[in-house]
Amino acid sequence: MIAGDLELSARPESTSNFEGRRSARRGWSGGGGRWLVATGRVIVWALILVVLANGVIAIVSRVREGAVTTPGGATSSAAPFPTAAASAFVVQFAHLYLDLNPAELSIRAARLKPYLPPDAGEQFGWDGYGRLQAAYIQPYSVEVNPGDNENAVVTLTFQSGDRRYLLSVPVHWDGGGKFVVSGRPGVLPAPGPAELPQVAAAATDDETATELRSQLAEFFRAYASGDQLSRYTASGTSLTSLGGAFSFVELKDIVVPVGDTTSREIQAVVVWGVPSGAAPTAEPTPSDPGAMAGRLEQGYRLTVVKQGDKWYVKDIRGAGRAVG
């Protein structure tokens, strides 16, 4: 009885120890899972904060793009310098500035005033003597100051007498729609004409040129007047004539390169009659100089195609290099 009692009492004790150890293991596992979840939440919130911070920085940067403070404390627009608007402003200014006429001093001073700062002299550097007239004033270049998009030098080209010049004008832009001439302009000589390099003449087809000459003369006669132009153009081609603004005088030169027997790219020099007033009502001829006021040579490139036994014009454009 005693032995049996001892045996029975030992079994529950062993089972209790086993259950305690198992419960301890389960408790440790649960504590580790909660720690991992908490760590994950911290990482997620950190990422969210980083994204929000980057968004705030981007918004602030966009707001500051509209105005940048320089070291001197002035505000500078971040927009690019408006070269087209500045060129238009300076072209208008140059028309007035380059018109030196001692008989119109007060008129010149009043017209220059909208372009100049308040402390500029009335004649802006001119003493009121001498004459100058400028024509054909056109934009030439715009040089924006490096690192400063509010100041630039606008250069124009103009002609006075038989010479071309440049006029450089410093301007200031307020970042909106206003400009002002910020310094004295400077007149410079314009570049001369470029040297035209010599090129070897291409091989020509004189036989086809002879064949084309009479047909092209009829085409240019119709091209000048607009009368029956379709008779000399390729099928499917529609060309607009000069409508009588000039009259045909002669086909002075024609250059036909060697090529395909049914299609060629050719060049021609045509002499037009320049009317003295209204469009001519009669066809002038070289033997009748009284019928025209002048003669004007023009160069053309033409695409001609052969249909049947005749050549027809498919296209006409302005010429390139000199022909003939």
Side-chain angles (χ1 to χ4, degrees), residues 7-161:
E7 184 179 357
L8 290 174
S9 63
R11 288 175 182 169
E13 182 179 353
S14 175
T15 300
S16 176
N17 292 338
F18 174 77
E19 291 294 332
R21 288 193 297 270
R22 188 168 61 181
S23 298
R25 284 196 297 269
R26 281 201 301 267
W28 173 254
S29 175
R34 288 193 297 271
W35 181 82
L36 290 175
V37 170
T39 303
R41 288 175 178 172
V42 170
I43 294 173
V44 170
W45 278 108
L47 291 175
I48 292 174
L49 290 174
V50 170
V51 172
L52 290 175
N54 287 337
V56 172
I57 292 172
I59 293 172
V60 172
S61 297
R62 291 193 194 100
V63 172
R64 295 189 63 184
E65 280 178 359
V68 178
T69 303
T70 62
T75 299
S76 169
S77 173
F81 187 86
T83 56
S87 296
F89 174 83
V90 174
V91 166
Q92 288 183 311
F93 162 77
H95 275 284
L96 306 173
Y97 176 78
L98 295 172
D99 184 16
L100 305 184
N101 184 353
E104 297 181 347
L105 293 179
S106 60
I107 295 176
R108 182 178 185 270
R111 290 176 176 175
L112 283 177
K113 192 173 182 179
Y115 302 87
L116 304 176
D119 57 349
E122 284 191 351
Q123 299 301 327
F124 203 41
W126 179 43
D127 66 356
Y129 294 93
R131 291 291 302 269
L132 177 68
Q133 286 185 322
Y136 316 114
I137 300 172
Q138 297 290 334
Y140 187 79
S141 67
V142 178
E143 179 187 358
V144 181
N145 292 1
D148 177 8
N149 67 332
E150 292 184 344
N151 295 280
V153 176
V154 179
T155 300
L156 313 174
T157 179
F158 70 94
Q159 183 143 344
S160 182

Side-chain angles (χ1 to χ4, degrees), residues 221 247-250 273 282-292 295:
R221 193 185 308 276
S247 56
F248 176 71
V249 176
E250 65 173 317
E283 182 74 21
T285 63
S287 59
D288 183 17
M292 67 184 87
R295 294 159 58 99

